[in-house]
Amino acid sequence: MTDLQITEAFLYMDYLCFRALCCKGPPPARPEYDLVCIGLTGSGKTSLLSKLCSESPDNIVSTTGFSIKAVPFQNAILNVKELGGADNIRKYWSRYYQGSQGVIFVLDSASSEDDLETARNELHSALQHPQLCTLPFLILANHQDKPAARSVQEVKKYFELEPLARGKRWILQPCSLDDMDALKDSFSQLIHLLEEKDHEAVRM
């Protein structure tokens, strides 16, 4: 190679390096999904979402009506509409279902038998609701750090999830505030289901 060819080769390599380092442009926008989060009062919905948003636990109060949080993940942003779980609020849940692309249901795995029965009835209603029945569900068996917590297998059997949710997209995962890695992994699985549903909609 002549000196001129060598110089041109080095200049071209410098150009490629410059393009790689400086001309990537803005990163692609993360997809956003609108979710509804339901569960009885005391199930831990607010605490879990606040922890995912890195908010201080000192200022957490139970949601009485509804609140919206943008929960960021590496590959998506989840706009979560959390609905209060008190008796006088649950009858209005369905008014807030419209536009949802997925559902998070939080249950207290260490609750009393009466509360667990109520949670089961509410989950069954949600799984069969016309606006939710085709959506991905993430079911979180919270408070696994408590001595009275039921295992995931116990919850699955008690809630009759296998026969009720057959053919639906759903995930049942144990969780607690003490294990954020497991909680984030559960949401990653939900995001995967949301992406799958998006791809199916594109193919149709």
Side-chain angles (χ1 to χ4, degrees):
M1 295 178 67
T2 66
D3 290 344
L4 179 59
Q5 289 174 322
I6 292 172
T7 301
E8 288 177 342
F10 275 113
L11 287 173
Y12 183 67
M13 290 175 62
D14 287 343
Y15 167 73
L16 292 179
C17 289
F18 174 79
R19 289 265 319 217
L21 293 173
C22 303
C23 299
K24 287 182 177 180
R30 286 176 288 179
E32 296 191 24
Y33 298 101
D34 295 327
L35 308 180
V36 63
C37 179
I38 53 180
L40 305 190
T41 296
S43 61
K45 303 184 300 296
T46 307
S47 296
L48 292 175
L49 294 174
S50 297
K51 192 75 178 285
L52 285 170
C53 292
S54 301
E55 296 176 357
S56 171
D58 300 331
N59 303 320
I60 294 175
V61 293
S62 183
T63 302
T64 53
F66 76 92
S67 66
I68 299 177
K69 290 185 184 296
V71 186
F73 291 89
Q74 185 174 0
N75 57 338
I77 296 174
L78 304 182
N79 298 312
V80 182
K81 184 191 304 176
E82 179 199 346
L83 308 183
D87 292 348
N88 60 333
I89 299 294
R90 294 199 302 270
K91 59 185 176 182
Y92 300 113
W93 277 358
S94 60
R95 297 185 181 184
Y96 298 91
Y97 290 166
Q98 187 172 3
S100 298
Q101 296 169 277
V103 183
I104 304 162
F105 189 94
V106 184
L107 62 96
D108 179 3
S109 60
S111 67
S112 67
E113 291 291 335
D114 287 345
D115 282 348
L116 205 65
E117 175 70 18
T118 302
R120 181 175 72 168
N121 292 338
E122 294 293 354
L123 178 58
H124 283 202
S125 295
L127 281 166
Q128 298 175 81
H129 192 278
Q131 290 179 304
L132 304 182
C133 62
T134 61
L135 303 182
F137 268 73
L138 171 60
I139 305 163
L140 295 173
N142 195 18
H143 298 153
Q144 287 292 309
D145 52 326
K146 294 184 178 180
R150 284 94 169 166
S151 68
V152 165
Q153 289 303 319
E154 289 174 312
V155 170
K156 182 187 291 186
K157 182 178 180 180
Y158 184 82
F159 277 67
E160 300 175 308
L161 285 174
E162 291 288 1
L164 181 69
R166 186 175 293 118
K168 302 179 186 294
R169 297 176 175 87
W170 60 276
I171 306 161
L172 171 62
Q173 291 289 313
C175 73
S176 72
L177 287 175
D178 295 335
D179 192 349
M180 289 307 295
D181 288 340
L183 182 63
K184 290 178 180 178
D185 180 67
S186 298
F187 274 83
S188 294
Q189 293 182 55
L190 175 61
I191 291 170
H192 179 68
L193 291 183
L194 292 166
E195 291 171 341
E196 280 187 344
K197 190 168 176 60
D198 264 359
H199 293 156
E200 288 179 6
V202 169
R203 287 196 297 266
M204 290 176 65

